[in-house]
Amino acid sequence: MIEFAWPWLFAALPLPILVRLVLPPAHRAQGAVRVPFYTRIARLARQDSGSAMDWFWSVLGWALLVLAAARPQWVDEPIKLPATGRDLLLAVDISGSMETADMFLGDRSATRLDVVKAVVGDFLERRTGDRVGLILFGRRAYLQTPLTFDRDTTAQMLEEAVIGLAGKETAIGDAIGLAVKRLREQPHDEKVLVLLTDGANTAGAVQPLKAAQLAGQEEIKIYTIGVGADEMMVNSLFGARRVNPSADLDEGTLKAIARTTGGLYFRARETAELVRIYRELDQLEPVASDSEVVRPRRDLHFWPLLGAMACVFVLIFRRSALRSRLFGMTAT
């Protein structure tokens, strides 16, 4: 439907009539030179200047100008928007060990990072109403996506992450510190960091527990996830042997980080467990359920404004044509 932002401006429609009634007419200058064809010129000028067409274009132009000033708007159908939820940062380890292919996607073997991309992508789709951001960390921590309602972009940036992009080592403390820096100035009360790693802190300037204490002071809740299988078969010169690919996982530190900030620690040894963990996070940190209704508006004032300008050009053209005709008569 069409609505007007300033409908009171329609009161200006009769303004030209009021001006004509109130103000005295302009004095006509008396002719000083008499020419034989004066009567024909005067009659032609009166016919054109006071013609119905001139009045039509003048009235239409003024009406369109007032219509544009009233600012017509097209109001679309109501759209429900989710209420603002929490600020949620995802910190994903992309160090060299995340290339270990000890997990499965369907029937095929997959690296830890491939599994994380698939599971976290689904998790992001369910976070309606939350502002989500992405931190990638290896030897250094980088804010890949700032907090945003655009979950698709965040999922795309995670999908494009590659092993070793941030270095081969693991800076868990720096990742937490970067998250604290980004979340501490946000107005929302609900601030959550979900940190996923498969190793121990081997790089960075900030110790994980010190960073966790800073997060606790800022009321940032951290959920930690340790990912990686407990055993896998590898081939060697002496044949196949069973190894623990998650021997470097520092579960003690991850548990302490979660405990310090009021969060929880989870262990994902296979894809199904990782899926279950992120669904449990949906229960622990539910998305916003309330919603507000908005009606998108599109301004239409430029259409009547263009129409008013067209009317002015028509009047100018008619006046120019009249002058040309008068000039032609004088020339003859």
Side-chain angles (χ1 to χ4, degrees):
M1 60 180 296
I2 294 179
E3 293 183 355
F4 295 94
W6 303 314
W8 50 270
L9 283 174
F10 283 115
L13 278 173
L15 186 60
I17 299 176
L18 296 177
V19 171
R20 181 67 179 269
L21 294 176
V22 173
L23 296 181
H27 294 288
R28 297 181 181 271
Q30 298 296 324
V33 178
R34 291 185 177 273
V35 293
F37 47 84
Y38 173 78
T39 303
R40 293 168 54 195
I41 294 177
R43 184 170 61 251
L44 181 62
R46 285 196 301 269
Q47 288 175 353
D48 283 61
S49 63
S51 68
M53 290 303 298
D54 277 355
W55 279 102
F56 170 77
W57 290 113
S58 299
V59 171
L60 180 60
W62 174 252
L64 290 174
L65 190 61
V66 173
L67 180 63
R71 195 180 173 187
Q73 298 174 328
W74 177 261
V75 183
D76 287 329
E77 293 296 324
I79 298 176
K80 287 187 176 181
L81 294 179
T84 302
R86 56 185 49 74
D87 288 331
L88 190 150
L89 273 177
L90 303 175
V92 177
D93 186 352
I94 57 170
S95 61
S97 56
M98 289 292 287
E99 198 171 12
T100 305
D102 60 348
M103 304 183 79
F104 291 87
L105 279 176
D107 297 332
R108 64 180 180 86
S109 176
T111 67
R112 295 169 178 175
L113 183 59
D114 288 336
V115 172
V116 170
K117 289 179 179 180
V119 176
V120 176
D122 292 338
F123 174 74
L124 287 172
E125 290 184 5
R126 301 192 296 269
R127 302 311 300 183
T128 305
D130 287 348
R131 291 202 310 166
V132 294
L134 176 64
I135 292 175
L136 300 177
F137 67 96
R139 181 179 178 81
R140 297 180 179 84
Y142 299 95
L143 182 68
Q144 192 72 358
T145 306
L147 289 166
T148 176
F149 288 109
D150 188 353
R151 306 188 309 279
D152 292 338
T153 298
T154 304
Q156 182 64 33
M157 297 303 290
L158 175 61
E159 183 64 29
E160 294 175 359
V162 295
I163 299 294
L165 180 66
K168 296 291 187 178
E169 299 176 272
T170 308
I172 297 175
D174 285 3
I176 298 175
L178 179 58
V180 172
K181 179 180 178 180
R182 293 295 176 177
L183 290 172
R184 70 193 310 173
E185 298 178 355
Q186 301 303 320
H188 297 147
D189 295 330
E190 299 291 339
K191 305 173 186 178
V192 178
L193 169 65
V194 180
L195 185 141
L196 182 145
T197 184
D198 66 343
N201 189 75
T202 57
V206 182
Q207 292 300 313
L209 293 182
K210 180 63 176 179
Q213 292 174 0
L214 294 175
Q217 294 173 6
E218 298 295 335
E219 299 182 350
I220 299 171
K221 189 182 299 184
I222 301 179
Y223 295 99
T224 55
I225 302 175
V227 64
D230 284 337
E231 61 179 37
M232 66 179 297
M233 300 298 297
V234 297
N235 295 319
S236 65
L237 295 176
F238 304 99
R241 61 190 181 92
R242 195 180 305 272
V243 298
N244 179 8
S246 299
D248 295 332
L249 179 62
D250 188 356
E251 291 191 83
T253 298
L254 296 179
K255 290 177 181 178
I257 292 171
R259 185 171 55 251
T260 301
T261 61
L264 294 173
Y265 167 71
F266 301 94
R267 181 74 172 92
R269 298 172 180 83
E270 57 184 14
T271 303
E273 285 185 326
L274 190 60
V275 172
R276 177 185 57 78
I277 289 169
Y278 276 100
R279 291 197 176 276
E280 187 172 345
L281 288 174
D282 283 335
Q283 301 297 322
L284 293 171
E285 301 293 337
V287 298
S289 57
D290 296 332
S291 61
E292 58 178 321
V293 177
V294 298
R295 302 190 69 173
R297 296 173 179 267
R298 289 177 291 167
D299 282 326
L300 304 176
H301 66 277
F302 50 87
W303 292 113
L305 186 59
L306 288 175
M309 294 176 62
C311 292
V312 172
F313 286 131
V314 169
L315 288 172
I316 293 174
F317 175 78
R318 288 177 58 83
R319 294 298 180 184
S320 298
L322 174 61
R323 285 195 294 269
S324 298
R325 292 168 64 184
L326 293 177
F327 180 78
M329 293 182 64
T330 57
T332 59

